[in-house]
């Protein structure tokens, strides 16, 4: 890789708000928070995918040096947690449902003592027949992962429903799909599958819990959704939310994976039981084998086209492997499934999503949940269709993309749809990037894929307060996951308040301090937080104006503000600044402070006027070695439909980081789950891209779009990762003529596909 | 000590960030845990635990090592530097005189924003500093080879590459500099302020 540009250093420009702390190693993450007198916890996990727990003997472990106690399932049997469905036990109760499930927890004076003690716990298991893949799990005589899944709070299934079916959702739009397929001149039926993949954040989950003598429970956790974590803890323990205070230190990478309670409920139970603060940090092997990876999926697409190269109908059936518990997901379906209907004109569309319990590590959220799977299937199908029709894949997409003013296949009417325009700038920016000379066995190709997602505002709150030095501190309810959201907030506030950024602080405050926040997610943080900051700044300005008017003894509308954030009485020429206003307020027993609460806007299905749809079109250029099946990626061009960009650097960072993540999912990442067991159990086997692996990335922007919120922005965080696997699969077919329908696109799969094609060709 | 001797307590003396440290440790203690838990130097991070990700990188006698794989007892009498120590002595001249000082590395990572969540950052900047001590003006190939031992999930590495090149005083590659791709002004797009971020 070669960087093409340096970002210009703007005069007086403030860098990241957290840059110095992070580069100096002084930023505290959850595992770094100093907690005096803490005990360390370690977890014993099930080696069986499905087994009855007959007996647990903890006596030997309890006698080991430093060990303060052991907790097992029956100690916490009544507790269940979950983001929507509360089906996750703190420790396995009666039986273990996946390899890696928590069976017992040891607390000891040191982490090493706790680790050692887990090996001294004796568990008698009786292995049970297990179901690993959704199709076998759905069979009427398959082993039941849960005896009564419908009995959990929030359950989405009913007694008498299909075996192990956790949730089903069907979206339909337009005409009768079967009739439209039957009437199509060209029909396709394609099957795709994707691997379970981990978020790959470098910081393993960590938490500390401490119960104050009055019963108040403090939690320090690597959680991107502290307020939702608090609500889930309250529900799990049957306590009021106010009893919990969730502190969120800096988060060492999230990508969706830090949104579930994970081990926090267990940590709280241990703290309550043993009367001391408890610290629990996962080892990375536990992350890979027992956290909440992206769901693998099996997808069938049936598509019908007319001879005119226009889509007539699409029927899509997506089966997601839930794993043993559904509680790591906040919604009945994965958002990405529905997005099969966000890009194209499809007169008749049906999408069926099945989520099926199995005896495997539970799935959770990863950057655009459900979307890379869905888009891999849809965008591969688009290329296959174009080939069948003998139309260029770009032309085929151009013919079928939605236009502004169209109703989308599922009925949404977004204010602006710029798919064709985004495709056009991608085409214009494209230029061949194939190196020369190439080895004779290398064939080059290019592939295109696209993705569209919506942004809408979420719920949040914010408080601004001026201190005696005239600094303004913004207390916010969102932790910094690394995206630069706190820096963006400072930029917006500096602009709106007319203050030097150096006089602004942005800090996360615990859940005790502000009313609510939805947490980081949905590519909505910049939109939502900057809207709240905008509202708060306006109100802060009114409050400052009123104080200044009182100070001057004039009416509020007589006061004006200078660009530098001072307040002037034009009649007398008097000036006050924030230092003086804050002191003036304090003298009267008041504060120069405002708080804003921004509630959730209820966007109905028909009301999409407040949503912004963003497109991303990607063109990958690859070389495939016909002798080995190895793919080299020369360049990924990624074109983005954007509105206003508040911070070009952090915006670009989302794009570049997303492409690299998509590259990993496309080529190398696979948890390798065999018979329910994760085989890629360390970062040597689970290959996330290194600096050696990432290709050149070119970015094209379609600017001037209509975004959401006061800052007029569109989604970026979950855009550039999604279509990369499909673009690469399309490029591989363009290069060597084989179609890989199963992610990742490993050299082995391509090699064997080439062998098979060779055999077919050699038959006379 | 035989191969299978059980862990026992032992005294060690070493230098950490320029200061003499004496402690009794267990012979199976890892340097990573010693730094984080005994000395409170939490800038060095634990992640993969198997020497792949580079988050725990520290300098031992000037060479970058994974402290998650190194027994504390093996760094007896050695000179260990963590990110905190390098940041503290950042104002001083680097040993070679010509190689960038740590403060140049820090400045470049701030200017080029070679970081996001920051969990890999201490390991990345320690490793980058060690690279530039050894090779003051590395090629992109040399940078990528060296830095392949530091995994970052946020950035996609381009901003880290930009940062290291800037720290080394290397110019941007000129061929593509004049190629920001964006919709020209007038039509649908045209926000030229985005052009400077286009690669």
């Amino acid at each position: 890789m070669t960087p093409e540009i340096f970002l210009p250093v703007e005069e007086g420009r403030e860098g990241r708000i957290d840059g110095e702390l992070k580069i100096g190693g002084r930023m505290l993450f959850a595992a770094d928070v100093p907690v005096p007198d803490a005990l360390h916890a370690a977890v014993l996990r099930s080696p069986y995918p499905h087994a009855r727990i007959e007996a647990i003997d903890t006596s030997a472990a309890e006698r080991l040096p430093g060990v303060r106690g052991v907790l097992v399932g029956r100690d916490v049997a009544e507790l269940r947690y979950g983001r929507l469905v509360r089906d996750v036990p703190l420790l396995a109760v009666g039986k273990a449902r996946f390899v890696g499930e928590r069976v017992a927890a040891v607390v000891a004076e040191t982490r090493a003592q706790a680790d050692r003690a887990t090996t001294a716990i004796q568990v008698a298991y009786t292995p049970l027949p297990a179901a690993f893949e959704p199709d076998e799990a759905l069979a009427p005589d398959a082993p039941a992962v849960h005896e009564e899944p419908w009995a959990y709070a929030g359950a989405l299934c009913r007694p008498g429903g299909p075996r192990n079916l956790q949730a089903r959702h069907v979206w339909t739009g337009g005409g009768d799909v079967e009739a439209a397929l039957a009437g199509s001149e060209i029909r396709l039926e394609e099957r795709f599958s994707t691997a379970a993949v981990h978020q790959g954040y470098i910081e393993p989950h960590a938490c500390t819990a401490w119960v104050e003598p009055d019963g108040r429970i403090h939690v320090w956790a690597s959680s991107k959704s502290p307020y939702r974590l608090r609500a889930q803890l309250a529900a799990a323990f049957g306590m009021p939310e106010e009893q919990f205070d969730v502190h969120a230190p800096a988060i060492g990478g999230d990508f969706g994976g830090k949104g579930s309670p994970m081990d926090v409920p267990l940590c709280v139970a241990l703290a309550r039981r043993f009367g001391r603060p408890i610290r629990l940090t996962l080892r990375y092997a536990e992350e890979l084998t027992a956290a909440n990876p992206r769901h693998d999926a099996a997808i069938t697409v049936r598509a019908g086209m007319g001879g005119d190269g226009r889509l007539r109908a699409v029927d899509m059936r997506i089966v997601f492997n839930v794993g043993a518990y559904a509680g790591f997901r906040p919604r009945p379906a994965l958002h990405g499934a529905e997005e099969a209907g966000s890009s194209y004109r499809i007169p008749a569309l049906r999408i069926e999503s099945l989520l099926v319990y199995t005896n495997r590590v539970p799935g959770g959220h990863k950057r655009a949940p459900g979307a890379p799977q869905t888009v891999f299937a849809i965008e591969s199908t688009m290329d296959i269709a174009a080939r069948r029709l003998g139309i260029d894949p770009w032309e085929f997409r151009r013919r079928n993309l939605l236009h502004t003013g169209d109703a989308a296949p599922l009925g949404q009417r977004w204010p602006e749809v710029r798919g064709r325009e985004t495709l056009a700038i991608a085409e214009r920016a494209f230029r061949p990037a194939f190196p020369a000379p190439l080895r004779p066995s290398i064939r080059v190709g290019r592939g295109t894929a696209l993705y569209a997602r919506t942004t809408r505002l979420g719920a949040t709150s914010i408080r601004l307060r001026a201190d005696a030095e005239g600094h303004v501190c913004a207390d916010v309810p969102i932790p910094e996951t690394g995206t630069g959201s706190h820096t963006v907030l400072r930029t917006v506030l500096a602009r709106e308040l007319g203050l030097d950024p150096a006089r602004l602080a942005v800090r996360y405050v615990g859940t005790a301090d502000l009313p609510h926040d939805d947490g980081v997610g949905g590519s909505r943080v910049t939109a939502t937080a900057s809207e709240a900051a905008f509202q708060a700044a306006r109100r802060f300005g009114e409050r400052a104006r009123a104080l200044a008017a009182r100070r001057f003894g004039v009416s509020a509308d007589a006061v004006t503000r200078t660009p530098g954030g001072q307040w002037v009485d034009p009649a007398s020429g008097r000036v006050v600044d924030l230092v003086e206003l804050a002191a003036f307020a304090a003298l009267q027993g008041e504060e120069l402070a405002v708080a804003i609460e921004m509630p959730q806007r209820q966007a109905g299905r028909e009301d999409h006027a407040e949503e912004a749809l963003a497109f991303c079109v990607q063109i990958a250029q690859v070389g495939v070695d016909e002798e080995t099946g190895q793919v080299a990626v020369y360049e990924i061009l990624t074109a983005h439909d954007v509105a206003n960009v508040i911070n070009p650097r952090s915006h670009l960072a989302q794009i570049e980081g997303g492409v690299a993540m998509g590259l990993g999912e496309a080529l190398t990442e696979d948890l390798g789950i065999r018979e329910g067991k994760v085989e890629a159990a360390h970062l040597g086997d689970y290959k996330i891209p290194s600096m050696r692996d990432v290709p050149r990335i070119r970015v094209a922007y379609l600017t001037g779009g209509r975004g959401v919120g006061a800052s007029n922005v569109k989604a970026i965080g979950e855009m550039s990762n999604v279509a990369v696997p499909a673009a690469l699969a399309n490029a591989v077919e363009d290069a060597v003529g084989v179609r890989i329908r199963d992610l990742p696109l490993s050299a082995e799969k391509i090699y064997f596909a080439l062998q098979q094609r060779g055999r077919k060709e050699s038959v006379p | 000590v035989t191969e299978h001797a059980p862990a026992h307590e032992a005294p060690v003396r070493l230098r950490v960030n320029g200061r003499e440290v004496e402690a009794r440790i267990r012979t199976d203690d890892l340097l990573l845990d010693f730094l984080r838990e005994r000395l409170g130097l939490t800038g060095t991070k634990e992640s993969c635990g198997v020497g792949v990700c580079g988050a725990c990188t520290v300098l031992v006698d000037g060479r970058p090592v994974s402290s998650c794989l190194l027994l504390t007892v093996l760094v007896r009498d050695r000179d260990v530097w963590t990110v905190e120590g390098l940041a503290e002595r950042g104002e001083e001249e680097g040993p070679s005189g010509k190689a960038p000082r740590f403060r140049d590395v820090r400045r470049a990572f701030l200017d080029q924003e070679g970081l996001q969540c920051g969990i890999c950052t201490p390991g990345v900047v320690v490793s980058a500093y060690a690279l530039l001590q050894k090779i003051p003006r590395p090629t992109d190939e040399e940078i990528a080879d060296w830095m392949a031992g530091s995994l970052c999930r946020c950035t996609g590495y381009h901003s880290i590459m930009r940062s290291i090149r800037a720290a080394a005083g290397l110019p941007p590659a000129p061929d593509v500099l004049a190629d920001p791709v964006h919709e020209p002004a007038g039509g649908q797009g045209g926000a030229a302020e985005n052009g400077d971020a286009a690669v």
Side-chain angles (χ1 to χ4, degrees):
Chain A
M1 59 179 279
T2 298
E4 286 81 24
I5 59 165
F6 281 164
L7 298 167
V9 181
E10 299 144 33
E11 202 56 43
R13 176 187 159 272
E14 296 285 314
R16 284 186 67 110
I17 204 165
D18 48 5
E20 289 275 5
L21 279 178
K22 286 176 173 174
I23 293 169
R26 289 178 293 128
M27 179 61 87
L28 294 182
F29 294 84
D32 306 332
V33 175
V35 182
D37 202 33
L39 290 171
H40 294 259
V43 176
L44 176 69
R45 296 175 181 277
S46 171
Y48 294 102
H50 199 194
R52 207 161 44 239
I53 298 170
E54 307 290 0
I56 305 182
D57 181 357
T58 62
S59 55
E62 281 169 295
R63 285 194 301 270
L64 287 172
V67 173
R68 293 290 165 262
V70 181
L71 214 62
V72 297
R74 66 174 172 274
D75 299 322
V76 286
E78 74 287 5
L79 302 179
R80 287 280 191 288
Y81 70 86
R83 297 180 74 175
L84 175 67
V85 182
R86 276 169 37 210
D87 61 356
V88 190
L90 277 55
L91 294 164
V93 181
K95 69 177 193 175
R97 295 184 173 87
F98 71 96
V99 175
E101 178 160 14
R102 297 177 294 247
V103 170
V106 181
V107 295
E109 295 294 336
T110 71
R111 196 173 171 204
Q113 288 168 337
D115 276 342
R116 275 193 289 273
T118 60
T119 65
I121 298 171
Q122 303 292 321
V123 185
Y125 295 98
T126 302
L128 300 169
F132 301 120
E133 299 302 330
D135 50 358
E136 63 190 50
L138 285 170
D141 57 348
V145 178
H146 295 269
E147 288 67 30
E148 296 186 342
W150 47 84
Y152 297 119
L156 301 163
C157 54
R158 293 208 174 83
R163 175 60 56 103
N164 293 318
L165 182 65
Q166 188 262 319
R168 177 172 178 271
H169 197 91
V170 178
W171 296 266
T172 55
D176 181 317
V177 169
E178 291 304 331
L181 281 171
S184 298
E185 285 153 279
I186 293 168
R187 283 188 295 275
L188 294 174
E189 178 165 343
E190 300 288 334
R191 291 170 197 277
F192 303 91
S193 53
T194 67
V197 288
H198 192 270
Q199 293 82 1
Y201 35 70
I202 303 299
E203 177 204 33
H205 275 91
C207 57
T208 299
W210 171 51
V211 187
E212 276 195 77
D214 68 359
R216 188 170 180 78
I217 298 168
H218 293 270
V219 169
W220 292 261
S222 44
S223 167
K224 68 160 185 169
S225 306
Y227 289 77
R228 291 192 168 175
L229 171 58
R230 179 178 67 166
Q232 287 150 14
L233 287 170
F237 287 93
M239 294 178 187
E241 287 192 17
E242 293 69 36
Q243 202 164 338
F244 295 89
D245 194 359
V246 179
H247 311 270
I251 295 172
D254 156 36
F255 316 116
K258 302 270 174 71
S260 91
M262 199 53 66
D263 300 304
V264 177
L266 173 62
C267 208
V268 168
L270 292 169
R272 296 179 75 201
R273 170 72 170 260
F274 295 103
R276 282 171 61 182
I278 302 289
R279 167 162 288 172
L280 176 53
T281 304
L282 291 190
R283 304 284 185 191
Y284 215 94
E286 295 176 290
E287 271 292 344
L288 289 168
T289 56
N292 63 156
R294 191 192 289 291
H295 300 80
D296 51 334
I299 304 170
T300 305
V301 183
R302 294 191 301 149
M305 281 78 58
D308 57 356
R310 293 187 193 276
L311 290 163
R312 295 280 188 268
V314 171
D315 177 51
M316 194 161 183
R317 183 174 189 265
I318 314 173
V319 185
F320 293 107
N321 193 329
V322 170
Y325 297 102
F328 299 89
R329 272 189 2 255
R331 278 190 279 272
L334 292 165
H335 179 245
E338 187 180 354
E339 288 169 338
S342 297
S343 301
Y344 297 104
R345 291 172 160 172
I346 306 171
L349 174 65
R350 180 178 179 279
I351 307 164
E352 179 182 19
S353 152
L354 300 177
L355 287 140
V356 183
Y357 280 125
T358 63
N359 292 111
R360 292 194 4 193
V361 56
H365 270 188
K366 180 179 177 186
R367 205 170 193 166
Q373 303 97 313
T374 305
V375 167
F376 175 60
I378 279 283
E379 288 297 305
S380 294
T381 302
M382 292 299 133
D383 258 43
I384 295 167
R387 259 165 221 285
R388 278 280 295 278
L389 288 156
I391 303 176
D392 175 87
W394 287 347
E395 171 55 26
F396 181 69
R397 286 180 173 83
R398 195 179 302 119
R399 245 178 243 186
N400 286 287
L401 278 164
L402 283 172
H403 295 204
T404 296
D406 285 349
L410 298 179
Q412 307 97 322
R413 279 187 194 278
W414 292 298
E416 178 180 85
V417 180
R418 304 203 298 172
R420 288 179 312 148
E421 293 85 345
T422 314
L423 184 68
I425 63 154
E427 288 184 57
R428 202 152 66 240
F430 176 83
R431 37 176 212 201
F434 307 120
L438 287 163
R439 294 221 319 277
S441 61
I442 306 282
R443 297 282 176 272
V444 298
R446 70 176 188 212
T448 302
L450 57 84
Y451 172 58
R453 81 173 286 137
T454 58
T455 316
R456 70 168 65 156
L457 296 177
T460 190
S461 46
I462 186 171
R463 183 175 53 222
L464 303 181
R465 181 185 286 145
D467 69 11
E469 281 85 45
H471 292 85
V472 176
C473 183
D475 294 338
V476 300
I478 48 158
E480 170 62 83
T481 55
T483 56
S485 57
H486 287 187
T487 308
V488 164
L489 274 176
R490 184 180 59 177
T491 304
V492 171
L493 287 168
R495 188 184 67 209
E496 295 301 326
L497 295 171
L499 285 179
D500 187 321
R503 290 173 64 190
L504 279 162
V506 179
R507 59 167 198 182
Y508 170 81
V509 291
T511 50
D513 269 19
L514 286 168
H516 181 69
D517 183 73
D518 279 347
V520 173
S523 292
R524 65 165 179 263
V525 170
T526 298
T528 303
S530 65
E531 168 70 21
F534 178 82
Q535 290 183 19
R538 286 290 150 100
R539 198 172 296 175
F540 185 90
E542 287 163 23
R543 170 88 177 116
R545 177 190 300 277
L547 277 169
R550 263 158 63 194
R551 182 84 177 93
F552 297 140
V554 299
S555 71
D557 46 12
V559 177
T560 59
R561 196 181 81 172
T562 69
Q566 293 178 320
W567 297 89
V568 182
D569 172 23
S572 66
R574 285 177 299 173
V575 177
V576 288
D577 62 9
L578 276 185
V579 178
E580 195 176 339
L581 279 183
F584 178 67
L587 272 178
Q588 309 187 37
E590 297 176 23
E591 271 192 321
L592 175 44
V594 297
I596 289 281
E597 187 173 356
M598 215 167 79
Q600 184 68 56
R601 303 181 185 206
Q602 293 300 329
R605 258 181 92 68
E606 267 61 61
D607 176 24
H608 300 275
E610 292 189 355
E611 289 184 349
L613 184 73
F615 269 87
C616 168
V617 175
Q618 294 179 317
I619 305 174
Q621 299 186 61
V622 305
V624 181
D625 190 330
E626 285 197 308
E627 287 175 357
T628 64
Q630 191 69 43
V631 179
V633 182
Y634 303 130
E635 179 181 292
I636 293 178
L637 168 67
T638 182
H640 292 269
D641 163 21
V642 299
N644 184 35
V645 174
I646 299 173
N647 184 327
R649 282 165 206 242
S650 51
H651 189 269
L652 175 63
Q654 288 298 309
I655 295 172
E656 290 175 340
V659 169
M661 187 173 284
L663 184 86
E665 278 190 36
L667 296 182
T668 57
E669 293 182 35
D670 180 355
L671 285 172
I673 305 178
R674 312 274 177 267
E675 298 287 295
K677 193 169 166 136
V678 171
E679 292 188 343
H682 63 71
L683 282 180
D685 279 348
Y686 187 78
K687 293 290 287 180
I688 76 175
S690 78
M691 193 184 270
R692 262 257 153 269
D693 304 314
V694 295
R696 194 175 126 117
I697 298 170
R698 293 181 72 220
V699 184
Y701 299 91
L702 177 68
T703 53
R706 179 174 159 185
V708 295
S711 293
N712 189 42
V713 292
K714 287 190 176 186
I716 195 64
E718 298 166 280
M719 297 299 304
S720 66
N721 61 308
V722 175
V724 174
L728 286 171
N730 291 341
V732 167
E733 178 163 24
D734 188 48
V736 290
V738 298
R739 169 58 57 179
I740 307 298
R741 294 174 174 79
D742 177 36
L743 287 179
L745 310 168
S746 65
E748 291 85 347
K749 285 176 199 167
I750 296 168
Y751 173 81
F752 287 116
L754 286 165
Q755 294 292 304
Q756 206 162 28
R757 188 194 61 180
R759 273 199 297 277
K760 268 191 216 142
E761 282 170 359
S762 66
V763 175
Chain B
V1 180
T2 70
E3 210 180 351
H4 300 291
H8 57 279
E9 292 224 335
V12 288
R13 176 196 286 198
L14 63 154
R15 274 183 308 285
V16 178
N17 295 334
R19 288 184 271 277
E20 296 290 331
V21 175
E22 283 185 61
R24 283 192 72 77
I25 54 150
R26 279 175 56 99
T27 52
D28 59 355
D29 274 355
L30 296 168
L31 178 59
L32 172 66
D33 296 333
F34 181 74
L35 293 170
R36 287 180 56 85
E37 286 165 26
R38 296 283 291 273
L39 304 185
L41 294 169
T42 53
T44 304
K45 306 300 181 191
E46 174 178 343
S47 178
C48 76
V50 293
V52 171
C53 76
C56 67
T57 303
V58 298
L59 301 183
V60 175
D61 292 346
R63 288 171 49 221
V65 298
S66 294
S67 62
C68 74
L69 295 183
L70 195 57
L71 296 174
T72 311
V73 72
L74 295 177
V75 293
R76 263 189 182 136
D77 301 323
R78 305 287 193 111
D79 188 34
V80 177
W81 285 85
T82 70
V83 68
E84 292 98 334
L86 293 175
E88 251 175 56
R89 76 162 190 192
E91 299 306 310
E92 296 165 22
E93 207 60 39
S96 78
K98 265 188 289 181
R101 293 164 293 182
F102 188 81
R103 73 168 177 191
D104 301 327
V105 175
R106 180 175 63 191
R107 187 73 253 160
F109 273 81
L110 285 172
D111 288 344
Q112 300 299 324
E113 291 195 3
L115 73 148
Q116 288 185 48
C117 83
I119 194 80
C120 74
T121 307
V124 165
V125 295
V126 168
S127 190
Y129 173 74
L131 163 66
L132 297 176
Q133 292 299 308
K134 193 176 157 79
I135 313 173
R137 292 175 70 81
T139 64
D140 289 348
E141 286 286 297
E142 287 169 330
I143 295 173
D145 276 344
W146 186 282
M147 297 305 297
S150 288
L151 297 181
C152 167
R153 192 62 150 175
C154 292
T155 62
Y157 304 104
H158 284 264
S159 63
I160 295 176
M161 175 68 93
R162 287 193 279 266
S163 300
I164 295 173
R165 285 181 63 104
L170 294 167
D175 55 320
V176 205
L177 183 58
D179 186 36
V181 179
H182 60 88
E183 184 73 358
Q188 292 241 25
E193 71 267 24
N194 295 337
D196 64 1
V199 175

